[in-house]
Amino acid sequence: MDLWIIICAMNVPERYPSKLLEDAVQAIGSLPGVGKRSALRLALHLLRQPNENVHHFAESIVRLRDEAKYCKVCQMISDDDVCSICSDNSRDKRTICVVENVRDVMSIENTGQYHGVYHVLGGIISPIAGVGPSDLTISELVERVREMTSSAADIPSEVEVILALSGDVEGETTSFYIYRQISGYGVRVSSLARGLGFGDDLEYADELTLGRSITGRQPFKP
Amino acid sequence: MDLWIIICAMNVPERYPSKLLEDAVQAIGSLPGVGKRSALRLALHLLRQPNENVHHFAESIVRLRDEAKYCKVCQMISDDDVCSICSDNSRDKRTICVVENVRDVMSIENTGQYHGVYHVLGGIISPIAGVGPSDLTISELVERVREMTSSAADIPSEVEVILALSGDVEGETTSFYIYRQISGYGVRVSSLARGLGFGDDLEYADELTLGRSITGRQPFKP
């Protein structure tokens, strides 16, 4: 009898005391990684905030969607036609770092160690997720490399394309695909160094990473 | 040297390629439990969604904040002046379940076991969080009980107030405070049964819970 009540209770659809609340919870719950319970918690939080805060919240999201552009050169999200990195004359335009998305750009920028420009693919080749080369900005990258190498100003061997994609199967596949597309132009193609992270323990490193650390060893700089 | 670079990199403030993106990330990151990284992930997700979805998302949140009301009777969030539960004639108006917030109402409603009405406190007495009795709808509850018991229709002893607050110190304090306020009206005051949860193992139950399970034991119903 008790078990039956529990099974019945589990099958009852969530009842909201207000249609407005239900709509908001459904909207927030449509975000990736936000469950129904979190969505309800967030909706009730917003309900308790000052009116102007909530309006500002909604407005900033709508403005992002409506007004954000993609840089004509590197395809990164940007407020203008050409992003702040591509229009910065102090950056080395002959070094192009190919990344999956804008988050990777921000991660690399935060290191303060890179002074070239970027190319944002907007994803990674993944047959499982149904993402093919044509869904990404690979053709734009090839065109960009072609233009650079065909202009008199740049010697192909002085142009470097860094494939800064993740180290999983999809990343390696995408890297290999891009390499085949651009290697004909005579540019240098490099990839990120793989090895032990700073502070990593040899004992707990996986074999692949440790193996790459050994084969890719570097002269010791004291 | 390496360590110095890392310390420098850690102090660099996050650089966004777009002011629009930064604003949206800051707005989303202001939600409780959403960090900067998740906020960026969500902002980029919204950027990839169809325009009308994002507008609908923002609109439903603004509408919730602008148009949601609180039920005049039970203080629950509602689309109308009186909520659907309080205006439902099949519900027992002489049993009032006092809860902390609307989430608790939904949890109890989902059990399908309760047919009375509610009173939503809008929080719980917590000196640490700076929430006192006057921040809650306790005076509205007292007034509600007073009106019910003073009207000719209801015999005080037929009115029941269920204190369905959480079992922690704040919950117990709030329950005790409310009990002192309403006990003078001669209504019955009860609290939720405490004991082992369905499927709980005796071995792993804490002493307080198991103790309450024993003292509050019930006749066996086969």
Side-chain angles (χ1 to χ4, degrees):
Chain A
M1 177 60 188
D2 270 0
L3 191 65
W4 179 239
I5 291 172
I6 287 166
I7 291 167
C8 288
M10 280 166 66
N11 284 328
V12 171
E14 204 90 59
R15 271 190 59 188
Y16 291 88
S18 147
K19 183 83 179 70
L20 292 165
L21 181 65
E22 186 171 2
D23 285 348
V25 169
Q26 239 155 25
I28 298 172
S30 71
L31 295 173
V34 181
K36 272 272 171 320
R37 248 164 222 269
S38 301
L40 179 58
R41 193 170 50 83
L42 293 176
L44 293 176
H45 166 83
L46 286 167
L47 195 61
R48 284 194 304 269
Q49 299 309 302
N51 208 304
E52 61 269 24
N53 288 19
V54 176
H55 277 260
H56 172 78
F57 173 86
E59 212 171 89
S60 61
I61 288 168
V62 167
R63 281 194 60 201
L64 171 70
R65 182 64 191 81
D66 286 353
E67 296 173 29
K69 298 171 187 154
Y70 291 92
C71 171
K72 278 196 297 189
V73 183
C74 72
Q75 315 293 329
M76 181 164 65
I77 172 178
S78 162
D79 294 345
D80 307 299
D81 286 341
V82 176
C83 75
S84 53
I85 294 174
C86 287
S87 55
D88 181 351
N89 283 326
S90 72
R91 313 240 2 173
D92 175 12
K93 300 278 158 51
R94 288 176 304 180
T95 309
I96 302 172
C97 183
V98 179
V99 292
E100 190 181 332
N101 56 41
V102 68
R103 273 182 288 170
D104 298 336
V105 172
M106 289 173 63
S107 298
I108 295 175
E109 283 298 286
N110 282 338
T111 66
Q113 301 292 302
Y114 180 66
H115 307 290
V117 291
Y118 294 91
H119 191 89
V120 179
L121 292 179
I124 205 151
I125 297 173
S126 167
I128 295 168
V131 180
S134 59
D135 299 316
L136 310 176
T137 63
I138 294 177
S139 57
E140 284 87 348
L141 172 66
V142 174
E143 178 57 23
R144 202 172 156 188
V145 169
R146 196 192 62 72
E147 264 180 30
M148 283 174 80
T149 52
S150 62
S151 76
D154 291 310
I155 304 159
S157 64
E158 283 184 357
V159 174
E160 182 177 4
V161 175
I162 305 171
L163 299 172
L165 302 174
S166 52
D168 54 11
V169 178
E170 278 103 351
E172 298 281 353
T173 309
T174 312
S175 291
F176 186 66
Y177 182 89
I178 294 173
Y179 174 76
R180 285 213 314 191
Q181 299 271 312
I182 59 173
S183 56
Y185 295 102
V187 296
R188 280 188 294 149
V189 183
S190 55
S191 68
L192 289 185
R194 306 267 178 214
L196 284 184
F198 188 88
D200 273 8
D201 204 324
L202 250 73
E203 195 178 339
Y204 302 112
D206 64 289
E207 291 83 358
L208 269 174
T209 304
L210 190 54
R212 292 237 203 165
S213 266
I214 292 169
T215 55
R217 64 190 177 278
Q218 307 257 310
F220 184 69
K221 274 181 254 164
Chain B
M1 176 59 188
D2 270 0
L3 191 64
W4 179 240
I5 290 171
I6 286 167
I7 292 168
C8 287
M10 279 166 63
N11 284 328
V12 171
E14 204 89 59
R15 272 190 58 189
Y16 290 88
S18 146
K19 182 83 179 71
L20 292 166
L21 181 64
E22 186 172 1
D23 285 349
V25 169
Q26 239 154 27
I28 298 171
S30 72
L31 296 173
V34 181
K36 272 271 167 334
R37 250 162 220 269
S38 300
L40 179 58
R41 192 171 51 82
L42 293 176
L44 293 174
H45 166 83
L46 286 167
L47 195 60
R48 285 195 303 271
Q49 299 309 302
N51 207 303
E52 61 269 24
N53 288 21
V54 176
H55 278 260
H56 173 77
F57 174 85
E59 212 170 273
S60 62
I61 288 168
V62 167
R63 280 195 61 202
L64 171 68
R65 181 64 191 81
D66 287 352
E67 296 173 29
K69 297 171 188 153
Y70 291 91
C71 171
K72 279 196 295 186
V73 182
C74 72
Q75 314 295 327
M76 180 164 64
I77 172 177
S78 163
D79 294 346
D80 306 299
D81 286 339
V82 175
C83 75
S84 54
I85 294 174
C86 287
S87 55
D88 181 350
N89 284 325
S90 72
R91 310 231 19 165
D92 175 13
K93 300 279 159 48
R94 288 178 303 181
T95 309
I96 303 173
C97 183
V98 179
V99 293
E100 189 181 334
N101 56 41
V102 68
R103 274 181 287 170
D104 298 336
V105 172
M106 289 172 63
S107 299
I108 294 174
E109 283 298 287
N110 282 338
T111 66
Q113 300 293 301
Y114 181 65
H115 308 290
V117 291
Y118 294 91
H119 191 90
V120 179
L121 292 179
I124 206 153
I125 296 174
S126 167
I128 295 168
V131 180
S134 60
D135 300 315
L136 310 177
T137 62
I138 294 177
S139 59
E140 283 87 347
L141 173 65
V142 175
E143 178 58 24
R144 202 173 158 189
V145 170
R146 195 192 62 75
E147 263 180 33
M148 282 175 82
T149 52
S150 62
S151 77
D154 291 310
I155 304 159
S157 64
E158 280 182 1
V159 175
E160 181 178 4
V161 175
I162 305 170
L163 300 172
L165 302 174
S166 51
D168 53 12
V169 178
E170 279 102 350
E172 298 281 353
T173 308
T174 311
S175 292
F176 186 65
Y177 182 88
I178 294 173
Y179 174 76
R180 285 213 312 192
Q181 299 271 313
I182 58 174
S183 56
Y185 296 103
V187 296
R188 279 189 294 149
V189 183
S190 55
S191 67
L192 290 184
R194 308 268 177 212
L196 283 183
F198 188 88
D200 274 7
D201 203 324
L202 250 73
E203 195 179 339
Y204 302 112
D206 64 289
E207 291 82 359
L208 270 174
T209 304
L210 190 54
R212 291 235 204 167
S213 266
I214 292 171
T215 54
R217 64 192 177 276
Q218 307 257 312
F220 184 69
K221 275 179 255 165

